[in-house]
């Protein structure tokens, strides 16, 4: 937590982008532990497309906590050549009876690969 963790997540995002293929389609997805204004999300947004925002521009896509989401910390990013093939994105509410299977709501997107 705090500024040190925020800086580390931003650096990790830079390292992920450095390892990404220079050509070809790819996706980066996961719990980023930071919202839309965080360093990691800002880094990914410089080169990748936020699939949730593309498919649902008026929906904030809140994912955490799953029991009553107030924050968006789970993201799906894709290389720009995949963006035109998006068929939609939705949140996954995974429950078994009254038990939530994760502390986050999942995020899914359909892409023409």
């Amino acid at each position: 937590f705090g500024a040190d963790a925020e800086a580390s997540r931003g650096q990790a995002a830079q390292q992920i982008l450095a390892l990404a293929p220079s050509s070809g389609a790819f996706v980066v997805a996961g719990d980023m532990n930071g919202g839309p204004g965080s360093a990691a999300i800002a880094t990914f947004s410089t080169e990748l497309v936020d699939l949730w925002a593309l498919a649902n521009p008026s929906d904030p896509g809140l994912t955490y906590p799953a029991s009553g989401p107030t924050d968006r910390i789970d993201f799906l990013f894709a290389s720009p050549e995949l963006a035109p093939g998006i068929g939609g994105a939705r949140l996954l509410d995974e429950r078994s009876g009254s038990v939530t299977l994760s502390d986050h709501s999942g995020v899914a997107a359909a892409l023409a690969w």
Side-chain angles (χ1 to χ4, degrees), residues 47-112:
E47 295 188 34
L48 304 175
V49 176
D50 178 345
L51 295 176
W52 178 265
L54 178 63
N56 303 288
S58 62
D59 185 330
L62 305 177
T63 60
Y64 182 80
S67 59
T70 57
D71 296 305
R72 179 179 183 214
I73 62 173
D74 302 277
F75 290 81
L76 291 172
F77 288 100
S79 51
E81 61 266 27
L82 287 175
I86 191 161
R90 69 182 187 99
L91 297 177
L92 305 173
D93 183 13
E94 298 294 324
R95 297 178 185 268
S96 178
S98 62
V99 177
T100 304
L101 301 178
S102 173
D103 61 337
H104 298 243
S105 294
V107 183
L111 293 170

Side-chain angles (χ1 to χ4, degrees), residues 3-4 7 13-14 21 27-28 31 35 37-38 43-45 48 50 60 64-65 76 79 95 102 104-105 113:
D4 290 341
Q14 291 171 352
V27 173
V28 175
D31 170 358
S38 69
T43 297
F44 286 131
S45 296
L48 304 175
D50 178 345
Y64 182 80
L76 291 172
S79 51
R95 297 178 185 268
S102 173
H104 298 243
S105 294
W113 194 270

Side-chain angles (χ1 to χ4, degrees), residues 10-38:
Q11 291 170 348
Q14 291 171 352
Q15 291 171 341
I16 290 168
L17 289 177
L19 294 171
S22 59
S23 64
F26 68 96
V27 173
V28 175
D31 170 358
M32 304 297 176
N33 283 325
S38 69

